[in-house]
Amino acid sequence: MPKPLIAANWKMNKTIEETGDFISSFFSMVKDAADVDILIAPPFTSLSVASRLLKGTDIELGAQNVFYEEKGAFTGEVSPAMLLSVNCSHVIIGHSERRQYFSETDEIVNKKIKTARKNNLNVILCIGESLKEREDNKTFEVLEKQLSGSLKDVQMEGIDIAYEPIWAIGTGKTATPGQANEAHKFIRGWLRKNREGAEGVRILYGGSVTPENIESLMAEPEVNGALVGGASLKPDSFAKIVKGAKGRI
Ligand code: PEP
């Protein structure tokens, strides 16, 4: 298993100036966190400045989305080559907010993953169930559908998975460590059954991760990292999460 990954998804937050301020103070706080991979995914407009400021550090840079075509008349979209040109190593694909507000289906997610991998971008694929689906005991059914649709004809090299129950995103309601581990175990089982290289895939938990709950989540055997939204926006809070994860390795 590779090192755990702690990834920041800033969503639609931070100007170029705010990005610079964050990185200047954050880097000095996590200099000794060599046992953990750290990734920051700022908005597109901040990628260039973040790339310049992160140069020479071990902190990786990711985008929050990518389009499935390589170039052309697709107003408002961003291609893999554009992300590579600002030194992105990763891209988040299939976040529930993209599925919910921008109608991204598993089929679209699948096309995006294929184009990203063709261009050697590492992918964090997000999956997760709604509250209603959990209450109706459909969690595993939903995860299975998202896995088989999003990963159709895709090999797992360069792909990590973020399990993000929709009811826990930005709500302050975290899945219990046991609930997270149970879902991760299901995902690992699906990978083992259906794909080569299942053991090399990191399964991150996402949904109201904080400095207070990271240690108990990371204590679970199948939790290999975290995708962090709100609590990644402040350098000290995100640094505490990185250190909390390190404390559990
Ligand atoms: C996310 O959007 O990926 C996320 C996990 O958000 P939050 O940490 O704010 O719940």
Side-chain angles (χ1 to χ4, degrees), residues 39-140:
L39 175 86
I40 297 177
F44 288 133
T45 44
S46 284
L47 286 173
S48 190
V49 70
S51 165
R52 192 160 44 75
L53 293 171
L54 293 176
K55 203 168 176 187
T57 76
D58 287 335
I59 301 171
E60 295 178 294
L61 185 62
Q64 299 172 22
N65 187 23
V66 69
F67 196 50
Y68 53 73
E69 294 290 348
E70 308 267 357
K71 67 193 305 194
F74 302 102
T75 302
E77 294 297 333
V78 170
S79 73
M82 291 168 189
L83 298 184
L84 292 169
S85 75
V86 286
N87 301 314
C88 280
S89 55
H90 287 71
V91 59
I92 298 170
I93 297 182
H95 192 280
S96 62
E97 286 152 16
R98 297 222 49 94
R99 293 175 188 263
Q100 186 178 350
Y101 303 129
F102 304 97
S103 308
E104 278 192 14
T105 59
D106 289 327
E107 196 183 347
I108 293 173
V109 169
N110 179 249
K111 282 175 29 175
K112 290 186 171 189
I113 293 175
K114 284 179 177 156
T115 311
R117 287 305 303 140
K118 189 170 149 214
N119 286 275
N120 274 327
L121 278 166
N122 297 302
V123 169
I124 299 176
L125 163 65
C126 300
I127 57 174
E129 81 287 0
S130 67
L131 184 58
K132 170 131 192 5
E133 288 161 343
R134 175 161 281 266
E135 286 172 349
D136 290 348
N137 285 322
K138 292 203 169 132
T139 299
F140 294 159

Side-chain angles (χ1 to χ4, degrees), residues 9 11 95 97 164 168-170 206-209 227-230:
N9 172 16
K11 313 190 187 194
H95 192 280
E97 286 152 16
E164 299 207 308
I169 296 182
S208 299
V209 172
L227 180 55
V228 188

Side-chain angles (χ1 to χ4, degrees), residues 6 22-23 26-31 36-41 50-51 53-62 87 89 238 242:
I6 302 295
F22 179 104
I23 292 175
F26 177 69
F27 177 58
S28 58
M29 296 176 186
V30 294
K31 269 196 303 218
V36 182
D37 284 341
I38 306 170
L39 175 86
I40 297 177
S51 165
L53 293 171
L54 293 176
K55 203 168 176 187
T57 76
D58 287 335
I59 301 171
E60 295 178 294
L61 185 62
N87 301 314
S89 55
F238 191 49
V242 169

Side-chain angles (χ1 to χ4, degrees), residues 162-231:
Y163 167 62
E164 299 207 308
I166 297 168
W167 48 271
I169 296 182
T171 58
K173 262 191 225 165
T174 324
T176 63
Q179 282 173 323
N181 197 60
E182 185 189 41
H184 287 215
K185 217 165 136 185
F186 175 83
I187 295 167
R188 182 80 62 201
W190 187 91
L191 291 171
R192 281 192 185 124
K193 197 164 147 211
N194 294 286
R195 291 291 180 278
E196 303 261 302
E199 307 309 323
V201 176
R202 289 176 292 197
I203 306 176
L204 318 181
Y205 169 77
S208 299
V209 172
T210 62
E212 289 72 40
N213 61 29
I214 185 68
E215 290 203 33
S216 57
L217 287 161
M218 289 295 296
E220 295 293 332
E222 289 291 355
V223 178
N224 313 127
L227 180 55
V228 188

